Amino acid sequence: MPTTKTWAVHLLTASGAGFAMLAALAVLRGAWVEVFIWLGAALFVDAVDGPLARGFRVGERVPWFDGAILDMVIDYTTYVFIPALILARSDLMPPSLAAPAGILVAVIGALYFADTRMKTREYGFRGFPAVWNMVVFVLMVFAPSPIFSVVVIVALAALTFSPVEFVHPVRVKRLRPLTLLVTLAWSVFSLLAVFAQLRPNPLVLAGLGLTTIYLTFIGAVLQATRFRLPQKT
């Protein structure tokens, strides 16, 4: 039987749609700090609603309500569509490139969310896992040249359906303590960057850059060094 706690978890998940709406309105005003505050709130909800759903067994209590679909719809909005809108409306690149980059992210992200092979047995992601919210945030903080931003967007879009693996920062098994620590550090540096109006001091920039590099490449490193058992003859 459904309980108040069951529906509270679903409502928590659905609140991500509200944060997405607030982020979209902030994008239209060019209030970039506010945009990332709302996207950060949505990211926090996404991090906690899964464990809560499993803990309260919401799937068993309301079998006719698919929380996974609800979660995926909101994830696409906050991880892909809003970041695509940021690309199209911000000054990361000239208008002639901004709209195409946003469209590329929106389309590639939609295709990725329909790929049933995205998860690996090692609790990673096969291909770039469409975390465009984090990508666009880092680009906004570092404010690189437009060409560099375009190269990053195109490269990650190309890696979306590649066999290269990316780490799940929470569920990974190998190097899990280190990866969790780096993920926490990335979150702290990101908060400091937001508090600094997306223009943090060099120390925060260095910390955000190093943790981003780790989280970007550690999945491929683990994939390349994975111990393979000999096949039986």
Side-chain angles (χ1 to χ4, degrees), residues 85-150:
L85 190 61
I86 295 171
L87 286 175
R89 299 279 297 194
S90 69
D91 58 356
L92 280 173
M93 54 193 74
S96 60
L97 296 174
I103 292 171
L104 176 65
V105 167
V107 172
I108 292 295
L111 292 173
Y112 184 76
F113 269 73
D115 190 346
T116 59
R117 305 166 304 164
M118 68 167 71
K119 297 289 182 65
T120 70
R121 289 180 299 177
E122 290 74 28
Y123 298 102
F125 296 98
R126 182 176 290 104
F128 174 67
V131 286
W132 293 106
N133 51 346
M134 298 180 181
V135 173
V136 172
F137 173 75
V138 171
L139 290 177
M140 290 287 283
V141 171
F142 280 88
S145 69
I147 295 301
F148 184 86
S149 296
V150 170

Side-chain angles (χ1 to χ4, degrees), residues 43-60:
L43 187 63
F44 175 78
V45 168
D46 186 50
V48 301
D49 65 348
L52 288 174
R54 289 186 289 271
F56 291 120
R57 305 199 309 266
V58 297
E60 299 174 20

Side-chain angles (χ1 to χ4, degrees), residues 6-224:
T6 302
W7 286 113
V9 173
H10 285 315
L11 182 60
L12 176 65
T13 301
S15 70
F19 291 131
M21 182 64 180
L22 291 169
L25 293 174
V27 170
L28 297 179
R29 298 196 310 273
W32 305 119
V33 174
E34 184 181 340
V35 169
F36 290 111
I37 288 174
W38 296 127
L39 287 182
L43 187 63
F44 175 78
V45 168
D46 186 50
V48 301
D49 65 348
L52 288 174
R54 289 186 289 271
F56 291 120
R57 305 199 309 266
V58 297
E60 299 174 20
R61 297 179 185 278
V62 192
W64 53 267
F65 191 93
D66 197 327
I69 293 178
L70 173 64
D71 186 66
M72 188 164 292
V73 168
I74 295 171
D75 281 355
Y76 174 78
T77 306
T78 57
Y79 281 73
V80 178
F81 188 78
I82 299 299
L85 190 61
I86 295 171
L87 286 175
R89 299 279 297 194
S90 69
D91 58 356
L92 280 173
M93 54 193 74
S96 60
L97 296 174
I103 292 171
L104 176 65
V105 167
V107 172
I108 292 295
L111 292 173
Y112 184 76
F113 269 73
D115 190 346
T116 59
R117 305 166 304 164
M118 68 167 71
K119 297 289 182 65
T120 70
R121 289 180 299 177
E122 290 74 28
Y123 298 102
F125 296 98
R126 182 176 290 104
F128 174 67
V131 286
W132 293 106
N133 51 346
M134 298 180 181
V135 173
V136 172
F137 173 75
V138 171
L139 290 177
M140 290 287 283
V141 171
F142 280 88
S145 69
I147 295 301
F148 184 86
S149 296
V150 170
V151 169
V152 168
I153 297 300
V154 172
L156 292 177
L159 285 171
T160 297
F161 299 105
S162 74
V164 177
E165 294 182 12
F166 289 76
V167 73
H168 189 300
V170 176
R171 301 189 67 188
V172 62
K173 290 185 176 180
R174 292 173 60 198
L175 297 183
R176 186 177 188 184
L178 176 60
T179 302
L180 284 173
L181 181 62
V182 173
T183 301
L184 177 61
W186 188 93
S187 301
V188 171
F189 288 127
S190 297
L191 283 173
L192 292 174
V194 169
F195 293 152
Q197 303 294 305
L198 304 183
R199 292 296 177 263
N201 62 54
L203 181 60
V204 173
L205 279 176
L208 183 62
L210 290 174
T211 52
T212 297
I213 290 171
Y214 177 92
L215 293 174
T216 301
F217 294 104
I218 189 59
V221 172
L222 293 176
Q223 178 185 14

